[in-house]
Amino acid sequence: MIEDKNQQRTDLGQIGEFGLIDHLAKNFEIKQSSTIKGIGDDAAVLDFKGDKVVVSTDFLVEGVHFDLSYMPLKHLGYKSVMVNLSDIYAMNAQASQVTVSIAVSNRFPLEAIEELYAGIQTACNIYDVDLVGGDTTSSTSGLVISVTAIGHVDKDNEVYRSGAKPNDLLVVTGDLGAAYLGLQVLEREKEVFKVNPQNQPDLDQYTYLVERQLKPEARKDIVKLLKDLDVKPTSMIDISDGLSSEILHICKNSDVGCDLYETKIPLDPQVISTCEEFNIDSTTIALNGGEDYELLMTISQEDFPKIKANPNLTVIGYITEKNAGAHLVTRADQKIELQAQGWKSFKSTED
Ligand code: ADP
Ligand code: MG
């Protein structure tokens, strides 16, 4: 974890809104040739030379989507960009610009906002996207961040949720459930800390889980991989709310059913051991835990030879006719209807 070592506290009121924008924006360089005009005018100007443009936006609200008692601001900045880039990659598009809007109360000093923007900048550098604008306003309570990501896709390469066909393979990237477990570990440590602040958290055996929660990575590499393999998925979605909920989105939008095999769901060894320790079922975590930011896609059977040897892609089931329904085939070879429990920010138990 990156700690905020900066002890200085410059009052935001002291530098004013425009001073703050200038201060935050000055470190960002333009990298994309599609960015004609970035920060500093009434609007950004972009030129995609005939490519289709994809746009996606998300809110992150303190107390609903993040808890600053264990989320360092630098990580929050990074994650707020990732969450949005993930949506662009889920369209099989390349991300090229973001705008970042913040509503911030005066309980945050300038140094805190600098930390947030340091994380945003790291994300922009690693993922090669330009920060081209945003808005800055005050808030009476917590911190609110809204990121809009802009991307582009050439020819007819965009992939929707709606193209899955019966017999297509259901394929997932990476592994699932770790981010949710990371949150459980952090919540547990927070409770321990409340009781005894002397207690330093021991997170050694949960490093992967905590990293997946605090520093998720969007799968830019997969868009490139699919291009290199010459595979265009028939449908795709990013996994922000849990596998179950995302599969059902594809089924609904594509008018199909599916069989998902429990034994095929990719899990990291730390997910398996921590589920044993917490006495929870790893399949439930993979199906319903959120924030993995992996990609779920369907691929035509004829493309199977192209993907079968790839360690990034796991076939977890296949698409069926709509009237067959959406099912999980368990280890015991039983068929259970898939339910979207998901990761709903409006669920009262979740906040
Ligand atoms: P306006 O009054 O038109 O909303 P602003 O003064 O809010 O203009 O913004 C001036 C410039 O700074 C614009 O390019 C805007 O996109 C950018 N900007 C404002 N706030 C932020 C922010 N938090 N992060 C990045 N860019 C910002
Ligand atoms: Mg403004």
Side-chain angles (χ1 to χ4, degrees):
M1 276 181 248
I2 308 165
E3 294 298 327
D4 180 4
K5 298 238 166 50
N6 204 333
Q7 297 302 322
Q8 214 181 327
R9 285 184 64 90
T10 310
D11 191 1
L12 283 183
Q14 216 175 300
I15 61 165
E17 183 192 327
F18 300 125
L20 176 64
I21 297 170
D22 287 346
H23 184 77
L24 295 174
K26 71 173 189 289
N27 301 322
F28 286 81
E29 276 170 30
I30 297 299
K31 302 178 280 284
Q32 295 276 345
S33 58
S34 53
T35 307
I36 308 302
K37 177 77 193 179
I39 292 173
D41 212 305
D42 294 312
V45 180
L46 311 176
D47 183 358
F48 291 100
K49 304 203 186 310
D51 280 4
K52 283 180 190 155
V53 176
V54 293
V55 179
S56 180
T57 195
D58 265 303
F59 258 127
L60 289 176
V61 178
E62 185 177 357
V64 178
H65 302 101
F66 60 89
D67 181 337
L68 289 175
S69 57
Y70 50 67
M71 187 79 175
L73 281 158
K74 202 178 266 183
H75 285 83
L76 179 63
Y78 191 88
K79 184 169 178 173
S80 61
V81 175
M82 283 313 118
V83 168
N84 281 274
L85 297 189
S86 179
D87 284 318
I88 300 295
Y89 303 139
M91 299 302 291
N92 203 32
Q94 291 167 35
S96 43
Q97 286 86 11
V98 289
T99 64
V100 175
S101 298
I102 53 171
V104 53
S105 75
N106 54 16
R107 117 174 120 86
F108 293 92
L110 171 65
E111 289 73 17
I113 307 304
E114 284 177 334
E115 282 291 302
L116 180 77
Y117 269 73
I120 291 170
Q121 194 170 4
T122 304
C124 286
N125 289 342
I126 294 176
Y127 284 77
D128 198 22
V129 299
D130 292 338
L131 175 69
V132 295
D135 200 18
T136 310
T137 186
S138 55
S139 136
T140 46
S141 53
L143 174 64
V144 178
I145 307 166
S146 173
V147 178
T148 297
I150 299 158
H152 57 108
V153 55
D154 54 348
K155 289 183 252 107
D156 293 320
N157 271 335
E158 76 270 26
V159 174
Y160 297 97
R161 298 176 177 184
S162 55
K165 298 273 178 299
N167 297 320
D168 283 355
L169 301 169
L170 196 56
V171 174
V172 73
T173 63
D175 54 72
L176 301 174
Y180 176 81
L181 282 181
L183 182 63
Q184 302 312 304
V185 168
L186 290 166
E187 294 272 6
R188 187 176 71 168
E189 294 307 324
K190 183 183 167 186
E191 292 309 311
V192 172
F193 185 80
K194 267 193 207 158
V195 177
N196 181 4
Q198 305 303 91
N199 238 324
Q200 282 303 309
D202 178 12
L203 299 174
D204 278 1
Q205 53 177 316
Y206 310 114
T207 45
Y208 180 65
L209 310 181
V210 170
E211 180 160 325
R212 292 279 283 176
Q213 170 59 222
L214 294 184
K215 196 169 175 291
E217 302 290 350
R219 299 307 305 258
K220 176 183 182 174
D221 58 325
I222 299 297
V223 176
K224 179 171 188 304
L225 176 72
L226 291 169
K227 195 175 179 186
D228 292 347
L229 294 173
D230 192 26
V231 172
K232 186 188 173 197
T234 53
S235 71
M236 190 149 65
I237 188 169
D238 76 320
I239 305 185
S240 50
D241 295 337
L243 180 61
S244 213
S245 151
E246 316 303 359
I247 288 181
L248 290 172
H249 277 307
I250 285 190
C251 287
K252 181 162 181 275
N253 283 268
S254 299
D255 244 350
V256 293
C258 76
D259 279 345
L260 162 69
Y261 288 83
E262 183 178 20
T263 53
K264 305 286 185 201
I265 299 173
L267 303 171
D268 185 84
Q270 250 180 44
V271 166
I272 297 170
S273 60
T274 308
C275 279
E276 278 169 13
E277 182 195 338
F278 287 21
N279 204 13
I280 38 181
D281 178 44
S282 56
T283 304
T284 307
I285 297 304
L287 288 178
N288 303 313
E291 304 194 291
D292 287 314
Y293 301 109
E294 295 294 342
L295 294 173
L296 173 73
M297 64 192 92
T298 55
I299 285 178
S300 160
Q301 291 264 2
E302 64 196 46
D303 283 332
F304 178 64
K306 299 182 194 165
I307 65 148
K308 74 173 180 206
N310 200 288
N312 290 293
L313 304 171
T314 308
V315 178
I316 54 173
Y318 57 89
I319 298 298
T320 60
E321 297 288 345
K322 183 184 185 177
N323 58 18
H327 290 100
L328 174 74
V329 182
T330 68
R331 267 183 208 101
D333 212 20
Q334 280 181 317
K335 272 194 166 189
I336 301 174
E337 200 182 313
L338 273 181
Q339 308 256 340
Q341 292 187 15
W343 173 258
K344 300 245 163 57
S345 36
F346 292 111
K347 224 165 70 183
S348 56
T349 51
E350 208 93 84
D351 305 348

